[in-house]
């Protein structure tokens, strides 16, 4: 390894066709230039971010600065932003030798994805037919982060098995599909999905799982030595877990409109998450010899409660309803890690590195079902007439829609998300199978060595230094020791 | 170890009675089910989180959405939430082989504790006598996090020596005691304690210390090999330290009511924390051979300034007053680590893993004293008549109370916290001594091996893989090296 | 080493004159006491944080509590606070054996610097000529954090080569110089620099680089063995990178005044940062054999987009303008790491540990230039007359200033920052060359061993324990292994 990192040419040391020196920079440059051009043609500040705001305020008789949408949404936006980059990023550092790839590629595709998402979502939601401009404000930034989340979920299934170029392509298509799916679900079907159980989690999870199925690696067991964690990599992953867990109430409430809606969404999510922690610990302990807990479950299944509260976040399901949702999710998700993931890999040929089927797919479906049922059973008594209109946005073309119909459309929305995820995943999977993307061999997966310059090991100290290096001269084994950590 | 984790049955490798496979899941399930039932019977959304809010607003002539309490308190709530889960959690990862337990069990008991706290605190503070319901909003979530903080402080004294089941029991009683103590201090005595120097820190610390005293382990030195940190575990602990330090101004200001109160509490805490950092570094350096700094002091004593500003957070102690408080706390707390902790373990038979006596107990008492004095010396000149009423909430039954009386009640409140901490701790300690909780032997403490599936070491690679594994075949010592990190 | 930490006296083991046992505590105590006295004489709460606020509100007919500046700025303040302590702190943990020093000394000088900054900035900005008091509120806390950021940038160039005492001195002078420079730039020249491309980044970077030049260590190569990262230290550094990256929109928008200004600054920074990520990955891959990415680039150059948006943050440069700025910065900054840093060390005798010239100096200059140009080309059409006045604060003495003149003053401001950085750095560098500050020898740099008690290694377990220690008795190599990590 020490040698490899310095370009050893032994047969075994020469990884094949994983050279991305041309493709990765090309993709990054071309797409970033395209972004600049498209933003130049289409994107401008929305009125609340434009310097004309001071005049707009006069026209609209707005007196207080705090009326600017920025002050309502910015704190939640920052929480969501942390979930995207630190939450997802560090959750994927759990592999012993793929921490650079986990947090680094997450960083890359998120930074690209959010630019593309601003455009795609803008075309569908914020395009002004008169001027032909997309006007962006804080809410667009939040929605872009949401869109990116869908692709990062898919990344979880592919972690360690694909090249950064493939991830960029996966993100390009993923964001595009997401924007269309989101438009159909939120605008055409007029389904409610504040926290994206369907739009984000079902779509993202099945998108990633289908790609992983198409890219099935029969000999992945040859990388088994690296397909696990070490002590400290599991602690790093807990950073991601906790920031996702803590900020999930912001995720589910970020784009709820009304004071009480955001307030309620935060409470529901907070409670649901708390409940899923307890059932996760329970099942994890119950399933193991001598009741020993498994870090994989704690890192992932504890979050299922937040996923499942996405759709019904601002509904009046009452605190105990949120607890029940979290209770079930913790159980379902942990069982998934115990039973389904091995089964899917063995029988369905789906290799799901992070177990997104357990953390996002199943809880997402559960969340969609809960949302459909609670919507269908909503009533004026519980919501108050005005509250019902606010919560389900029964206005304009949808002023006359009944809650039962709404429930049906919620269910339909779930199917749309599923279809887009599976259909889109199959398509993109085929594209990613072209042998041009520089992915690694089956015996070389989950290894940062392939795409990253890893830190040098101590052996490369010039002998002359050893003389001044009293530490090393005193205990020679330190070389090995630093070296050892170096490799970890 | 490799073998042990695969259930080796050598005499020495068979830890005794630490099997929590029945007890832990049972406790988690039963209590979570109980939560669901109790929430179903008692808990509803408060008016600002209820869908009827849009009607309530009309009745109360509230025009702006931002008037919803959610927008005042949510950012501070999220900061406190981060302190509870990442702050306390990572602060307890400093042990070389107990990082999983530190952050993992912190996660478990916090998630359970906050549900129980919502109920217990609700019964005392938010129960509507007419409907019999507890109405919860954002402020209840903050208070639940505060309540949990008390139990997490106690956890600090027990870290590595108790089983997760014992921690759940400790939390159940701790939250209950906290709710009663809080009611007596804030409602009956009408003491002011915005940041909880007394309610949270004194109670939590003496609760934990007393339990630790009752559970004294005479042969704990047999686990001495694991009772210390490694380089990277100390860096992980700094994550906890910094998030606690940075967000402490939010902790102390989160439930202050008035614009100026929250504003002042944040400034005071910010300054007090800054001062305690300098004196901590000073004493730590002064006390060591060649002035070398000790990470234990930096990780803990730097936070003492925030603890001590809890009670007087919103008082007019002026910026220099806050600096003086922080100045003293840094010194006292660091001396505690140098002198008191060893003394307490040797002479008082109190084994305090994280040194909570230095970080929470002493600064908490200091904070209580500062609060009592500054309250007793408050004046209309300094606060303005209205400001005095707002700050000390001299309304209703307490409209006629003098500041001198208030000072006396503040002192009384400190005694109440102390009594509840010691009394409750003794009781709970006795309960935790029953031999049914699955705690480890004295020679097996501070070891994640007991309750966690630790990552496999490299030795378990099937030989057949070694052939494909050029890395291993090239430098055989990598096995050992990864292995080594594995064990670290 | 194991021995050294127990005070071995072999010739080689006795580091020279690095004993800070007297100097460090002395400096901390004296300066903290000075702070208390000066705060006592000069500093009071501003009206929005004072208990008289409730009366002030009446006088000023303020009805809503949320009008208090606290609610506008506190969320951004907390984000900035996280950047200062976790962002900068963890960014500097990348060295394999200097993580304690990176995060620990960052903590120390930031905590001291912000107190001194409150005073110095207060004297220039918030001093009431009538009462002679400095009135501080949330905005002063944000500005103090900004000021500290300048010194932490300078710390980046000195990392591992200076003693904590030298850092304290560097901070004392740095904050003082910063306050004067800030006053000249913002008040006298009336330049706009919301995110501090010039005031913070140009000044801080050249201040640190000049000091590093004066303190040039010809034999630093003797510490080469420690002048690099290990796998996990690079992951720790990513924590710092991501929190800086995510919260940079708050940094650049924190002290913008108007709803639309803050809103726009956040959008511009968000986009600029996203673009610099892609170009950083592109150049990093393009420059390496087989296209392998370099963690040093990802950790640093990805942030350049935020630095360069500092000055023009609230200008109407349009989203595509922000993308162009980020696009260029990612390229320039990464090239800096590839070409300039080695060149500067070899030819200019400037040893820049963290490469602040690439991350702060060059992007800062770019940001200043962008600011000057965009200011000179501003127009009523783009900003609206009132918007132009709000954005550039054309009021009072500056009511008649033209945008062209403003552009010229922006350019002048850049020169002022440069002059203060280089001049101040030369002066302070000479002071730091006195042989009294306890800095380490050339062969002993980048080593926590010098100023920190490092965790004990396993070898120091008393033999008697080994008997109970079945783990160790079973696999003796664990001693070495833990030991090894211990040293890492």
């Amino acid at each position: 390894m020490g040698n490899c990192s310095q370009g050893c040419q032994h047969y075994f040391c020469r990884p094949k066709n994983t050279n991305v020196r041309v493709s990765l920079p090309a993709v990054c440059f071309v797409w970033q230039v395209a972004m600049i051009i498209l933003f130049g043609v289409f994107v401008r500040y929305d009125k609340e971010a434009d310097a004309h705001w001071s005049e707009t305020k006069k026209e609209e008789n707005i007196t207080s600065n705090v009326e600017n949408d920025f002050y309502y949404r910015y704190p939640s936006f920052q929480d969501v932003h942390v979930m995207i980059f630190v939450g997802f990023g560090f959750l994927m550092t759990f592999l012993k030798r793929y921490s650079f790839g986990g947090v680094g590629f997450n960083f890359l595709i998120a930074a690209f994805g959010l630019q593309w998402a601003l455009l795609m979502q803008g075309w569908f939601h914020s395009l002004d037919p008169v001027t032909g401009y997309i006007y962006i404000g804080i809410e667009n930034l939040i929605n872009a982060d949401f869109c990116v989340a869908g692709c990062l979920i898919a990344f979880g299934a592919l972690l360690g098995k694909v090249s950064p170029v493939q991830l960029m392509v996966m993100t390009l298509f993923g964001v595009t599909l997401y924007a269309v799916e989101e438009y159909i679900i939120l605008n055409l079907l007029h389904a409610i999905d504040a926290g994206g159980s369907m739009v984000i989690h079902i779509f993202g999870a099945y998108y990633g799982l289908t790609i992983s199925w198409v890219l099935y690696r029969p000999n992945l067991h040859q990388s088994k030595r690296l397909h696990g964690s070490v002590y400290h990599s599991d602690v790093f992953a807990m950073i991601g877990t906790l920031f996702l867990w803590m900020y999930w109430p912001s995720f589910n409430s970020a784009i709820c409109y009304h004071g009480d809606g955001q307030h309620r969404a935060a409470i529901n999510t907070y409670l649901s998450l708390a409940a899923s922690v307890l059932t996760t610990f329970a099942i994890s302990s119950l399933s193991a010899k001598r009741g020993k807990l498994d870090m994989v479950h704690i890192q992932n299944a504890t979050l299922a409660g937040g996923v499942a509260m996405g759709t019904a976040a601002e509904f009046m399901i009452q605190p105990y309803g949120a607890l029940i949702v979290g209770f079930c999710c913790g159980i379902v998700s942990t069982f998934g890690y115990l039973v389904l993931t091995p089964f899917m890999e063995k029988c369905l040929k789906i290799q799901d590195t992070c177990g997104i089927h357990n953390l996002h797919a199943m809880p997402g479906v559960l969340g969609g079902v809960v949302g459909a049922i609670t919507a269908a059973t909503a009533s004026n008594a519980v919501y108050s007439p005005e509250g019902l209109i606010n919560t389900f946005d029964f206005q304009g073309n949808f002023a006359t829609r009944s809650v039962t119909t709404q429930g049906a459309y919620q269910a339909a929305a779930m199917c749309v998300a599923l279809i887009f995820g599976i259909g889109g995943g199959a398509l993109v999977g085929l594209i990613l199978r072209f042998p041009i993307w520089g992915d690694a061999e089956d015996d070389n997966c989950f290894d940062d060595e392939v795409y990253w310059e890893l830190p040098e090991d101590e052996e490369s100290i010039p002998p002359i230094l050893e003389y001044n290096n009293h530490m090393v001269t005193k205990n020679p084994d330190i070389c090995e020791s630093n070296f050892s950590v170096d490799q970890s």
Side-chain angles (χ1 to χ4, degrees), chain A residues 116 132 139 394 401 461:
Chain A
W116 185 228
E139 206 171 307
F394 286 153
R401 180 182 280 186
I461 297 175

Side-chain angles (χ1 to χ4, degrees), chain A residues 14-71:
Chain A
R14 195 160 9 132
K16 293 210 191 50
N17 68 8
T18 61
N19 189 334
V20 293
R21 187 172 183 175
V22 176
S23 50
L24 183 56
V27 169
C28 290
F29 272 124
V30 172
W31 291 0
Q32 189 58 59
V33 171
M35 288 302 130
I36 292 172
I37 295 166
L38 290 167
F39 271 66
V41 177
F42 288 107
V43 182
R44 295 294 179 269
Y45 306 114
D46 81 6
K47 66 177 187 185
E48 292 190 320
D50 191 284
H52 291 79
W53 174 239
S54 43
E55 292 183 344
T56 317
K57 274 180 2 188
K58 284 212 199 69
E59 293 157 14
E60 303 183 1
N61 300 319
I62 297 170
T63 54
S64 151
N65 277 333
V66 82
E67 284 303 317
N68 192 304
D69 205 31
F70 179 78
Y71 296 100

Side-chain angles (χ1 to χ4, degrees), chain A residues 102-116:
Chain A
V103 68
F105 294 151
N106 181 86
F107 194 15
L108 173 63
I109 63 181
F112 163 66
L114 57 86
Q115 298 178 56
W116 185 228

